[in-house]
Every structure is written in C-alpha cells, then in structure tokens.
Amino acid sequence: MSEKEVLSLARRSATMNLRSKMEITVILLAFVIIPASGVIPDMAKTTAKLRRLAELPFQLTKSVTYRDKFPKTNKFDYIVVGSGPSGCVIANRLTADDSTSVLLIEAGKEDNMITDIPLLNPLISLTGWSWNYDTVPTNDTCLGMTHERCPWPSGKGPGGGTILNAMIWTRGNPLDYDRWAQMGLAGWSYEELLPYFKRSENTRIAELSGSEYHGRGGPLSIEYPPFRTRLSRDYINAGKSYGFQEVDYNDPRSHIGFGKIQLSMEDGERMTSATAFIKPILNRPNLSVTMDSRVIKILIDPKTKAAYGVRYVRKGKEYDVFARKEVIVSAGAFGSPHLLLLSGIGPARHLRDVGIRPIVDLPVGENLMEHQGMHGLTFTIDTADGILLTDLLENIVPVSATYVGKNRGVLTSPGCEVISYVRTKYANLTMPADTVPDVELLFISGGMQTDDGRLFRKSFGISDELYDYTYKPHEGRFAFSIWPMLMYPRSRGRVRLKDDNPLSKPIIDHGFFTDPQNVDMLTLIEGIKIAVMLAKTPPLRKYGADLVKTPFPNCRHIQFGSDEYWECAVRTMSTQFHHQSGTCAMGSVVDSRLRVIGVQGLRVADASVIPTIPGAHIQAAAYMIGEKAADLIREDVFYNNIIR
Ligand SMILES: Cc1cc2nc3c(=O)[nH]c(=O)nc-3n(C[C@H](O)[C@H](O)[C@H](O)COP(=O)(O)OP(=O)(O)OC[C@H]3O[C@@H](n4cnc5c(N)ncnc54)[C@H](O)[C@@H]3O)c2cc1C
C-alpha cells in the first residue's frame, strides 16, 4: 500500500467516528504491516516476544469489557468453567432466574473488533486466542508438518472456539443423534434435541424463513455471508452436473447435495457465543465473570466425593471459589478432560503414573474424535476470481472501507463458501441409510499458496520443505480449494497428562487412521477423487481449473493421482477440522444428565460429552449441549426441591 493511499484513507477517516478510525488503523496494521513484515508467529519458532508483537494491534481496540463483572464474593450457586458455546449458553440461561448466581471463569483474555473480522480466522488461530496445541508424532501421519506434529488450535477467550472458528453452521443428520438415544442416552434423540438447536438460533436467511428446521428469535444470528465469489456459484453448478441438488443441508430431508454456507455471523461480522449470550446480559447482578483466569483444580471432598468449588490462577495469584449447588465444566474437549484428570478424575493407573491421587476411576481423555481431512487440493485458475492476498493488499483501502462502512466485501468471508455432502462407495459400511452422506467437501475460494505462504501454511503447520516444493511455484495465481472431510471417522485418539503441573499442555495422541479396517483412509481417498472430478466439470473448467500436480516431496516416487499417491498425500498433509470431541463421553464419563459418574455436584457440558461424533462441524452441537444442560440443571433443582 502506498503512502498516498494511507494518507487518503486517513483523510477519509477524519469524517468517521473514533471507533471506525481505530478499526481502520487496526485493519491496516493487521493486513499490511504484520503480513508484510512476516511477523506472524511460526508455531515452532515464535518467541513470546514476537507473539506479543503480533498481537499488539489486536490490543488496541476493545468492543466489550468484562472487567466490571469481576467477582465480589467467593460463593455462587453455580460455577461455570470455560466460556465456549456451551459455557456461555449455560451462564445465560441459569442467570435468567435472578435468584440464581453464576460465576463464569475463562482462561483467555478479552476479544475485540479485529477478532470479529471473518476473513482473519486463520490469523487469530496463531495468536494467544488459541491454546496452540499440537499432536504427538506417529511416523505415519502429519509427515509434511513441521516436526511431524499437526497443530491443533483450540479457542481461548470469551466465546472459546467461536472466537476463531470459521463460523460454519451445520447440525448433521438426525441419525447422528438417534444413535445416541439408541445407546441408552435418554432425551438425546434428534426429535428431542431439535428444539434445543433452534432455541439458540436467530436465522436471518430469507429463503429459509418458512423452514421448521431453523430457529428464529434466539440470541445467535445465522446468516449467509454478504460476500461470495462467482466461483462458488459455479461450484454448485459443478455439483448439479453430477446430479446433485442445491440444498439446505440443515434440513434433514435434503442432507446430501450442495449448499451455500450458513454461518454464525451478524451483519457480516463474527458472532461469538460471548457476543450472543454474555454481552447482552452483562447488566445482570447475579452474573459474575472473570477472564484471564485459569482453573487449575476442581475442589472435591475425597471422602464424600462431592465437588464444592474450584481453584483458579489469575495474574499469578490463586483464588478458591465455592459452589453452593454445582460446578459445571465447559472447558472444551481438551480443557475439560485436562481439568478432570488434574483433579483426580480419570484412569487411575495413568493418574498414579503422573503422581495424582485418583478420586474416581473413569475413562476421561479416551475416545478423542475428530473429522480428518486433507487440505492439499488446490486448483489454480486462469481468471481473477477467488481471494488472492496480493490483490487484496492492493485494494486494502476500498476493501477496509467497505467492511467498516457497510459490513460488506471480502473481509466478511470466512474463505469457505459452499458445503457439499456426498456418499462414497464405502458409505454403507458406516451409515447404511442412503440419505446420509459420509464425506463433506468444503469449497474454499483460495488455495494453499494464494496468501503467498503467509497464513494458511502456518496455521496448518506445513513444513517449509513441503510448501516450497509443492506450492511456492504457483504463488501469484488465483486458485480455489476443495477440502474433503471424513464425516464419521472410526479412529479414536486420546488426551493424557504430561505431568501433574496444571500449566503443562496435555499430550494429544490424535489416533488418525488407526481403525483396523482402514475404512477412514479408503473413504477419504474416495472423497478426494470426487473433489478432483468436480473440478473437471464444464462449470469449473471454464475458469481453467487445474489441480496443482506438483507432488508432495515425500510422495514424488508414487504415480500422481493413484490411490497410493492419495494415501501418501493424506499421511503427509493430515489435516483436521478442529472438531475435537468425545473425551468425557456420555455413557462412560458422564451420565445422560451430564453428571460426572461417581462425583456429586459436578457436571461436564461441552463438546467433550459427545459420545459419537455427528457428521457436522461441532459448534451447533456445542450450543445445543449448553441449552440442554441448562434445562437438565434446572429440572434437577426442581425435582430435588419437590422430594425434599
Ligand atoms: C480454528 C477452529 C476452527 C473451527 N471452525 C469451526 C466451524 O467453522 N464450525 C463449527 O461448527 N465448529 C468449528 N470449530 C469448532 C468449534 O468452535 C468448537 O467445536 C466449539 O467451540 C466447542 O465448544 P465447547 O463449548 O465445547 O468448548 P470451547 O469452544 O473449546 O470452549 C472452552 C473454553 O474453556 C476455556 N478453558 C479451557 N480450560 C480452561 C481452564 N482450565 N480454566 C478456564 N477456562 C478454560 C477455553 O479457553 C475456552 O474458552 C472450529 C474450532 C477451531 C479451533
């Protein structure tokens, strides 16, 4: 961006209010200075100093502050740990009764207007708003990642994962939840859960206004993004040329097909669970909130096995706070098992191994589930379509002005524009009903190299060797990507403690492609082949769509495009969709009312309680779990009062 353009923007901003001017300043910093200087942290090398520098622009503006909500007492009816979708919903619903007091504790720091810009989602996941986990090396997966470790971002701050996620709003198939009910989990069938899904939603999509499958009037806005490339329309047309319909994939009658992306956003800006559920109720005197506060232990009486509070650390100081009724752990599928294990709830042998006295022996941390995928399918095109970083930077002034002034334009895009659901030849092995897809294909209006290797590659942890060999030669070209996602993985991983230090990161063993029948790998390869076929249809061929055929360096000895090559590609660029779930599963760690088995006064409510992963991006389920948990808690209070 030239000096002249910066001055022109500054002149124009003189007529705007202070908030808008600050936004523009920060956008310039975020888009021009940080990317141009290459300061964005590299997962492996970044020092704390560099990370602080990269986050500096983000500190400049604050849209909400929770400072005034800091607890003035140390006793509450309920303590909720974690402000992800589930935790925020619970805190909101419980404090609707003004006689009920709740303390919401969150380890991350406050968000701001920059975290709300949809297109910046890969950047946010490289900052301190993510826990920045990674996986243990396995020798046969994540081979193209730095140190053969797949990065695993996880949200940290008001909104949890919704502070940095791609906002994709999908629910999955009714059978996903009916399976839960068939496992004996009373109250968890699709029919029983649909009202909870709808309760959170305020669907603002005109063409869905008549649908009984979408909620209206809830706190969370669901929209189509205002910006879409013409490529996305032709991707839907590519699907049609194979006989797929354009569908509303959240309508269970039309799950298979191609649909425009539905997002948790309001008027082109990210809407986090905290924006939707906590910000509007900050004036409730019965709600206390503490940010930047990390819970390190659940306080449990070892004799009665009753939870009575938690210990948290804030700015180096420890605080004990007490729950008159319950502690509710909503710290996410990594945070919740981590905290339970630290508190003596988990596999007894593992706890003893790390020096923790077991209180209850439960399979906490087992059953880690994730939708595996492969993000390497980049298709270059001959036309100026899609999102190219250099193009964006050249137009930063109008782009920023359109976002700031009108909430429109490319910054309102999360990058993903269409979701498509297909059924491979292996689907019968997993989901016999022919109405259920087994692979999701995400259409992305950019390629691995369209940001010149500045963001995507870093957020996916791709090694310099792989990027430089395969993608760098294609820099400067417009492109799109299709990302296949395995919807019903059979493989399972686990989360364990590294040691008894509550501040150590947990050990994450992803377990990808460990299912003995190899169905996960076979299915994903079929998904890749379908994606490649779609790009050859006339609607996409007219852009000159051409799959990047430079092989991954470690796969170059294999014939490109063969099944063997795709297996090598999957093992090299083993990517996931950050849908970690199942680590405190219903039926084994918690009961169907989300109470931790064998402990009184303690529930877990978040994505960790999911027993089998739905064929959906997980946030909608996490909101639903929050809604359901709030009802279960209130019902149990009511019931206990009656029998007393
Ligand atoms: C990069 C990324 C992209 C994603 N994209 C999508 C998408 O497009 N669509 C979709 O549906 N899903 C997406 N997801 C997943 C989705 O955001 C999560 O499934 C969802 O947020 C899970 O909600 P949760 O309530 O279980 O927990 P989380 O959202 O993980 O929230 C847990 C909260 O607890 C806090 N916490 C943890 N430990 C402690 C502790 N000891 N003390 C205090 N606080 C603690 C964390 O900081 C966090 O704020 C994405 C996730 C990521 C990371």
Side-chain angles (χ1 to χ4, degrees):
M1 185 180 200
S2 70
E3 199 182 321
K4 207 169 135 204
E5 284 168 323
V6 174
L7 286 174
S8 144
L9 178 62
R11 262 197 305 279
R12 266 191 280 161
S13 73
T15 58
M16 297 174 174
N17 63 30
L18 182 66
R19 183 182 147 144
S20 301
K21 277 192 276 183
M22 284 166 78
E23 277 182 329
I24 288 189
T25 312
V26 177
I27 288 167
L28 289 174
L29 284 165
F31 269 93
V32 184
I33 297 175
I34 297 179
S37 62
V39 164
I40 295 161
D42 180 299
M43 303 283 290
K45 298 180 205 142
T46 301
T47 61
K49 203 171 164 193
L50 273 182
R51 177 164 289 155
R52 277 204 300 278
L53 185 60
E55 284 168 15
L56 188 64
F58 297 89
Q59 311 297 342
L60 297 179
T61 59
K62 297 267 184 205
S63 52
V64 187
T65 181
Y66 300 86
R67 267 191 305 258
D68 300 342
K69 300 304 292 180
F70 190 71
K72 297 181 179 65
T73 169
N74 63 358
K75 285 196 189 67
F76 304 86
D77 292 326
Y78 298 96
I79 294 172
V80 180
V81 181
S83 68
S86 312
C88 287
V89 172
I90 294 168
N92 177 309
R93 300 307 186 196
L94 293 183
T95 54
D97 171 357
D98 58 14
S99 67
T100 300
S101 62
V102 172
L103 169 62
L104 178 62
I105 309 181
E106 168 55 49
K109 52 187 187 261
E110 297 198 22
D111 56 344
N112 57 47
M113 286 174 273
I114 293 302
T115 52
D116 289 342
I117 300 176
L119 193 64
L120 292 189
N121 68 81
L123 174 61
I124 310 299
S125 67
L126 294 171
T127 68
W129 279 288
S130 168
W131 290 86
N132 287 315
Y133 295 125
D134 56 20
T135 60
V136 288
T138 64
N139 293 326
D140 62 0
T141 53
C142 307
L143 299 175
M145 309 303 178
T146 307
H147 306 305
E148 296 189 6
R149 289 174 179 269
C150 280
W152 207 324
S154 178
K156 184 180 184 186
T162 64
I163 211 171
L164 44 66
N165 70 12
M167 299 163 285
I168 298 168
W169 193 253
T170 60
R171 262 186 217 149
N173 198 276
L175 294 183
D176 299 349
Y177 304 96
D178 290 345
R179 274 211 285 199
W180 299 2
Q182 282 155 16
M183 292 164 68
L185 301 168
W188 292 88
S189 69
Y190 179 76
E191 198 186 335
E192 290 161 299
L193 296 178
L194 184 58
Y196 291 112
F197 277 115
K198 289 169 66 177
R199 191 179 287 177
S200 290
E201 295 174 348
N202 184 25
T203 309
R204 296 167 14 124
I205 299 173
E207 67 197 59
L208 303 179
S209 61
S211 168
E212 58 181 303
Y213 294 102
H214 292 270
R216 275 159 282 272
L220 184 71
S221 168
I222 308 296
E223 294 180 347
Y224 287 148
F227 176 88
R228 214 174 287 130
T229 61
R230 67 184 182 125
L231 272 170
S232 69
R233 164 63 31 213
D234 280 314
Y235 177 70
I236 294 176
N237 289 335
K240 285 183 181 165
S241 63
Y242 269 106
F244 291 101
Q245 304 287 315
E246 182 171 353
V247 295
D248 163 19
Y249 45 73
N250 283 323
D251 183 327
R253 295 164 302 183
S254 55
H255 196 175
I256 294 179
F258 285 47
K260 294 188 285 285
I261 193 104
Q262 300 173 23
L263 300 174
S264 46
M265 80 169 23
E266 187 175 43
D267 208 9
E269 283 182 12
R270 169 188 299 284
M271 192 173 211
T272 69
S273 58
T275 316
F277 284 87
I278 301 299
K279 189 176 161 187
I281 59 158
L282 283 175
N283 61 351
R284 287 185 188 166
N286 53 337
L287 173 71
S288 300
V289 182
T290 177
M291 291 286 150
D292 209 356
S293 304
R294 180 159 174 178
V295 176
I296 53 171
K297 192 173 185 177
I298 303 162
L299 304 173
I300 303 171
D301 182 325
K303 286 205 187 93
T304 60
K305 298 193 177 170
Y308 59 91
V310 303
R311 178 166 302 151
Y312 69 89
V313 186
R314 187 170 189 269
K315 298 188 174 158
K317 202 172 154 199
E318 283 190 10
Y319 298 80
D320 282 357
V321 281
F322 305 100
R324 283 185 284 262
K325 292 182 175 153
E326 281 187 25
V327 173
I328 300 143
V329 178
S330 298
F334 293 139
S336 290
H338 190 211
L339 186 55
L340 262 60
L341 292 168
L342 287 168
S343 312
I345 304 170
R349 202 160 144 197
H350 168 59
L351 293 179
R352 281 194 203 98
D353 285 349
V354 293
I356 291 177
R357 205 170 120 215
I359 295 180
V360 185
D361 186 359
L362 290 173
V364 173
E366 300 295 315
N367 191 46
L368 171 63
M369 296 177 288
E370 172 58 274
H371 294 125
Q372 296 125 66
M374 208 282 284
H375 288 8
L377 294 179
T378 287
F379 303 83
T380 55
I381 51 175
D382 297 334
T383 58
D385 290 281
I387 303 173
L388 187 71
L389 184 72
T390 43
D391 186 55
L392 206 153
L393 290 178
E394 275 166 22
N395 293 296
I396 190 72
V397 175
V399 163
S400 304
T402 308
Y403 178 76
V404 172
K406 301 187 195 149
N407 283 19
R408 291 290 176 271
V410 64
L411 294 183
T412 65
S413 167
C416 177
E417 300 195 303
V418 179
I419 290 195
S420 39
Y421 289 102
V422 298
R423 201 170 151 81
T424 74
K425 64 181 184 189
Y426 296 108
N428 273 341
L429 296 176
T430 312
M431 275 289 183
D434 61 10
T435 49
V436 188
D438 64 340
V439 167
E440 179 182 307
L441 300 170
L442 292 88
F443 178 81
I444 316 293
S445 46
M448 194 54 79
Q449 87 305 354
T450 46
D451 63 358
D452 292 350
R454 287 196 167 99
L455 266 186
F456 267 161
R457 132 212 208 186
K458 295 192 183 194
S459 62
F460 297 134
I462 293 166
S463 70
D464 291 349
E465 189 202 355
L466 189 153
Y467 182 82
D468 290 348
Y469 187 86
T470 303
Y471 294 107
K472 203 171 182 53
H474 306 277
E475 280 182 0
R477 302 277 314 270
F478 280 89
F480 64 84
S481 304
I482 305 176
W483 291 347
M485 179 185 107
L486 191 64
M487 292 174 69
Y488 300 107
R490 295 169 172 221
S491 304
R492 297 288 182 267
R494 67 153 59 137
V495 178
R496 285 275 164 114
L497 292 178
K498 177 169 173 269
D499 50 40
D500 63 351
N501 179 350
L503 303 183
S504 297
K505 283 187 181 178
I507 296 173
I508 300 170
D509 180 356
H510 59 58
F512 296 164
F513 306 109
T514 52
D515 67 306
Q517 288 84 25
N518 207 28
V519 175
D520 287 353
M521 178 61 78
L522 294 172
T523 307
L524 192 54
I525 290 173
E526 286 310 304
I528 290 173
K529 292 196 289 195
I530 294 171
V532 173
M533 267 162 35
L534 282 167
K536 290 181 181 160
T537 55
L540 291 173
R541 255 211 330 257
K542 75 176 183 229
Y543 296 90
D546 190 19
L547 173 64
V548 167
K549 295 189 193 69
T550 316
F552 293 150
N554 56 315
C555 306
R556 62 190 152 198
H557 58 288
I558 308 171
Q559 189 196 342
F560 186 88
S562 62
D563 284 12
E564 196 191 345
Y565 178 82
W566 291 129
E567 169 154 3
C568 182
V570 168
R571 294 195 180 281
T572 302
M573 198 180 285
S574 324
T575 28
Q576 32 85 7
F577 288 81
H578 326 304
H579 296 164
Q580 53 268 20
S581 47
T583 46
C584 300
M586 266 191 281
S588 58
V589 174
V590 298
D591 65 15
S592 62
R593 302 190 73 76
L594 307 181
R595 297 171 297 205
V596 175
I597 295 166
V599 184
Q600 282 177 47
L602 181 63
R603 278 184 225 244
V604 179
D606 57 26
S608 72
V609 304
I610 291 175
T612 57
I613 195 164
H617 298 242
I618 299 296
Q619 65 164 344
Y623 280 100
M624 174 278 286
I625 288 166
E627 296 281 12
K628 172 98 179 159
D631 264 14
L632 292 172
I633 294 164
R634 287 184 297 211
E635 275 168 26
D636 287 352
V637 169
F638 180 72
Y639 182 68
N640 288 342
N641 286 344
I642 288 180
I643 56 170
R644 256 190 214 134

